[in-house]
C-alpha cells in the first residue's frame, strides 16, 4: 500500500482478521487495520458482519428513519437490504459490480421520465458509491399463471405497457452505460507523475 501511495498507483485491498468472538485469544494479535491504513488510502472500512449493514445506512443517511432491516444475501453481484418493506438498498460486491451499478443508475434516471411503468429511483447514494437505495415499488411479481388468469383486455394492456417500456429502454443512448477511463488508468497519467514521484521512490527503495 505504501509503494502504491508513493507511486500514485491504484490498488484495492481486501484484508481479513482472525475470529474475534470464537477465538480463545479474544482480541490478542488483532490489528486495527482501518486506523493503520487510513493515512495511506482514500477509503477504509471494516464490515465485520452483515448485521452491521443497517448501521452503515444510518451513518450515510442519518435522516432516514427505519425500524427493521431484512438482508437478502443471495445475489451474485449485490447484497440487498430491505428497510421496513419501504426502502431497498443494494451493496455492490467488488469493483465490477460498482461500475455496473453506476451505469444502471444512469440508465434508470434517464428512463424514469419516459417509462410507462415505475422504475427504481435511486434517491439515496452513499458518498463513496458503494451502496444506494430507492423506495420500494409496490406490487406483486407477474408470473405466467397470474397473467394467464387475467381477462384478455387486461392482458392486452399489460402487453402494450411492456412494449412501450421496451421501446423507451432501447431508445436510450448506449453511452449511458459507458464510462470514460479514469485518469489513473491512463498511461499518460503515470508519465506525467513520474518525474515528481521518482525522488520519493528512490529514497524509499534504495539500490
Amino acid at each position: 500500500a505504501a509503494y502504491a501511495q508513493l507511486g500514485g498507483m491504484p490498488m484495492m485491498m481486501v484484508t481479513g482478521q482472525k475470529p474475534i468472538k470464537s477465538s480463545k485469544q479474544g482480541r490478542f494479535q488483532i490489528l486495527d487495520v482501518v486506523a493503520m491504513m487510513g493515512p495511506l488510502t482514500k477509503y477504509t472500512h471494516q464490515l465485520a458482519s452483515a448485521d452491521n449493514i443497517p448501521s452503515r445506512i444510518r451513518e450515510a443517511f442519518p435522516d432516514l428513519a427505519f425500524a427493521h432491516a431484512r438482508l437478502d444475501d443471495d445475489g451474485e453481484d449485490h447484497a440487498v437490504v430491505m428497510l421496513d418493506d419501504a426502502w431497498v438498498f443494494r451493496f455492490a460486491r467488488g469493483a465490477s459490480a460498482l461500475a455496473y451499478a453506476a451505469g444502471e443508475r444512469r440508465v434508470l434516471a434517464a428512463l424514469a421520465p419516459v417509462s410507462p411503468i415505475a422504475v427504481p429511483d435511486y434517491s439515496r447514494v452513499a458518498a463513496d458509491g458503494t451502496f444506494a437505495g430507492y423506495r420500494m415499488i409496490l406490487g406483486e411479481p407477474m408470473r405466467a399463471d397470474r397473467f394467464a388468469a387475467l381477462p384478455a383486455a387486461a392482458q392486452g394492456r399489460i402487453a402494450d405497457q411492456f412494449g412501450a417500456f421496451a421501446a423507451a429502454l432501447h431508445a436510450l443512448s448506449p453511452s449511458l452505460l459507458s464510462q470514460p477511463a479514469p485518469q489513473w488508468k491512463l498511461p499518460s497519467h503515470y508519465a506525467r507523475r513520474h518525474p515528481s514521484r521518482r525522488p520519493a521512490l528512490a529514497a524509499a527503495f534504495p539500490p
Side-chain angles (χ1 to χ4, degrees):
Y3 183 81
Q5 196 270 347
L6 285 171
M9 294 176 288
M11 175 181 289
M12 181 181 75
M13 299 177 63
V14 179
T15 65
Q17 293 274 29
K18 60 189 297 184
I20 297 176
K21 293 183 179 180
S22 60
S23 173
K24 294 180 180 179
Q25 294 175 310
R27 295 192 61 86
F28 179 67
Q29 292 184 343
I30 296 296
L31 297 176
D32 189 348
V33 178
V34 174
M36 182 174 66
M37 301 302 294
L40 302 176
T41 61
K42 291 185 177 181
Y43 179 77
T44 58
H45 186 81
Q46 181 179 22
L47 192 61
S49 167
D51 296 335
N52 294 341
I53 290 179
S55 64
R56 283 206 65 193
I57 297 176
R58 287 192 172 98
E59 180 184 354
F61 307 106
D63 61 316
L64 181 61
F66 60 91
H68 303 286
R70 178 163 52 93
L71 172 66
D72 181 351
D73 201 23
D74 294 333
E76 182 176 346
D77 57 358
H78 283 77
V80 178
V81 176
M82 284 153 280
L83 308 179
D84 296 337
D85 289 331
W87 286 87
V88 178
F89 277 83
R90 299 175 68 210
F91 289 73
R93 303 183 193 272
S96 60
L98 278 176
Y100 175 85
E104 179 186 2
R105 291 195 294 269
R106 289 194 297 271
V107 169
L108 289 171
L111 182 61
V114 296
S115 172
I117 59 177
V119 297
D121 174 17
Y122 282 94
S123 57
R124 305 274 182 166
V125 181
D128 61 358
T130 54
F131 65 96
Y134 60 89
R135 286 192 178 274
M136 185 177 290
I137 299 174
L138 300 180
E140 296 293 334
M142 180 54 73
R143 300 189 303 268
D145 58 337
R146 182 170 293 170
F147 182 80
L150 294 173
Q155 291 181 349
R157 288 195 298 271
I158 292 174
D160 289 342
Q161 285 184 333
F162 179 77
F165 171 81
L169 177 62
H170 287 283
L172 297 179
S173 171
S175 63
L176 290 169
L177 288 174
S178 63
Q179 300 185 75
Q183 286 296 312
W184 53 263
K185 285 190 175 182
L186 302 177
S188 57
H189 172 73
Y190 300 103
R192 289 194 304 269
R193 292 171 63 90
H194 180 69
S196 61
R197 291 290 185 176
R198 184 172 182 176
L201 290 171
F205 301 96

